[in-house]
Amino acid sequence: ERLRARSTLSKYISPTVVDQMLKSPDESLLGGDREEITILFSDIRGFTTTSEQLTPEQVVELLDDYLTIMTDIVFKYEGTVDKFEGDAILAFFGAPTHHDDDPDRSVRTAIEMRDRLADFQERWLKIAPNPIRIGVGINTGHAVVGNIGSERRMDYTIIGDAVNLASRIQDLTKEHGVSVLISENTRALLKRDYVLNFVGDTAIRGREQKVGLYEVVRDDTGVG
């Protein structure tokens, strides 16, 4: 029963979350804790328009292949996939297992997501009319992390202003014409060296203070 439960749960959430839930059943109860988390939002550019030109079966085939590749990358860096919203992915780093380099793990995930599109492009263009491009927004801040919902249906998820900001940063990748944007909060915590372009202090809808944004070009190994 334990093996069956692990196999089933691993299809939906990070293996590290599964291990924690199986070791500590009490932690599967409703509730959350305030943690410092690095949040990653990604989105396929123009997917709604593309999907309108495809059959539902073709849309599902493309999404299944794409989301499998992207989820494997998140899990590689020990992140947690919170949810899929159509073609969008919400993932986070720092819970249930914290690493000192969680911001770096998120940025390396974003770089690899972008780079893996080259391998996926040929398959994509066999079905879709336009090349695939993505935008990724990353922010670090405090959020409530835990099992949120009802006693009958709950999700291991994150809630907070830091999450909303990551989503809005992802939206701004379109405006600035870049693939990966990170906030000043995340940049300040990076341990590795990256080639970054300062986009500027940017006004964010719903926020009084501007947010410093940086385009991620590549990491210190030249990847990207």
Side-chain angles (χ1 to χ4, degrees):
E1 290 178 356
R2 183 183 181 87
L3 289 173
R4 190 181 302 114
R6 193 182 197 287
S7 176
T8 301
L9 289 169
S10 294
K11 291 180 175 65
Y12 301 95
I13 54 180
S14 166
T16 54
V17 179
V18 176
D19 289 339
Q20 181 174 346
M21 292 174 67
L22 293 177
K23 290 177 182 177
S24 306
D26 289 345
E27 294 185 13
S28 297
L29 300 177
L30 283 173
D33 297 309
R34 184 178 174 85
E35 306 280 357
E36 183 173 78
I37 300 293
T38 299
I39 305 105
L40 179 153
F41 267 96
S42 75
D43 184 66
I44 299 177
R45 293 285 169 262
F47 186 75
T48 300
T49 301
T50 296
S51 64
E52 289 172 350
Q53 304 174 56
L54 305 174
T55 67
E57 292 80 7
Q58 288 174 319
V59 172
V60 170
E61 180 181 348
L62 284 177
L63 277 181
D64 283 350
D65 287 347
Y66 168 77
L67 294 174
T68 295
I69 292 171
M70 297 299 124
T71 298
D72 287 345
I73 296 171
V74 174
F75 285 1
K76 173 182 175 180
Y77 291 100
E78 298 186 58
T80 298
V81 174
D82 185 316
K83 61 175 66 72
F84 302 129
E85 296 178 350
D87 61 294
I89 301 171
L90 168 58
F92 56 90
F93 299 77
T97 302
H98 170 78
H99 306 91
D100 291 337
D101 63 342
D102 280 318
D104 286 272
R105 289 169 184 258
S106 70
V107 172
R108 292 167 69 190
T109 296
I111 291 173
E112 192 163 332
M113 282 177 152
R114 180 184 63 194
D115 293 348
R116 285 292 300 277
L117 292 185
D119 301 331
F120 184 58
Q121 198 72 256
E122 183 177 350
R123 275 188 287 167
W124 178 271
L125 288 174
K126 286 181 179 178
I127 300 175
N130 302 306
I132 182 173
R133 295 183 300 113
I134 64 171
V136 182
I138 297 174
N139 179 50
T140 303
H142 285 91
V144 174
V145 187
N147 296 302
I148 298 171
S150 71
E151 292 182 356
R152 292 182 178 273
R153 176 70 170 87
M154 66 181 72
D155 288 320
Y156 184 79
T157 189
I158 50 177
I159 292 178
D161 181 63
V163 184
N164 299 333
L165 179 55
S167 176
R168 291 187 176 130
I169 291 172
Q170 186 279 129
D171 289 337
L172 288 170
T173 60
K174 307 172 190 175
E175 180 179 319
H176 292 287
V178 301
S179 56
V180 182
L181 278 179
I182 65 174
S183 68
E184 171 61 34
N185 292 342
T186 299
R187 187 208 64 80
L189 296 171
L190 296 177
K191 299 179 180 297
R192 293 165 62 102
D193 292 327
Y194 301 85
V195 177
L196 305 174
N197 287 333
F198 180 56
V199 172
D201 292 320
T202 305
I204 306 291
R205 177 171 49 87
R207 302 179 68 89
E208 294 184 4
Q209 294 185 332
K210 292 184 177 181
V211 176
L213 297 180
Y214 295 80
E215 175 195 6
V216 178
V217 179
R218 63 179 183 270
D219 70 10
D220 60 352
T221 65
V223 175

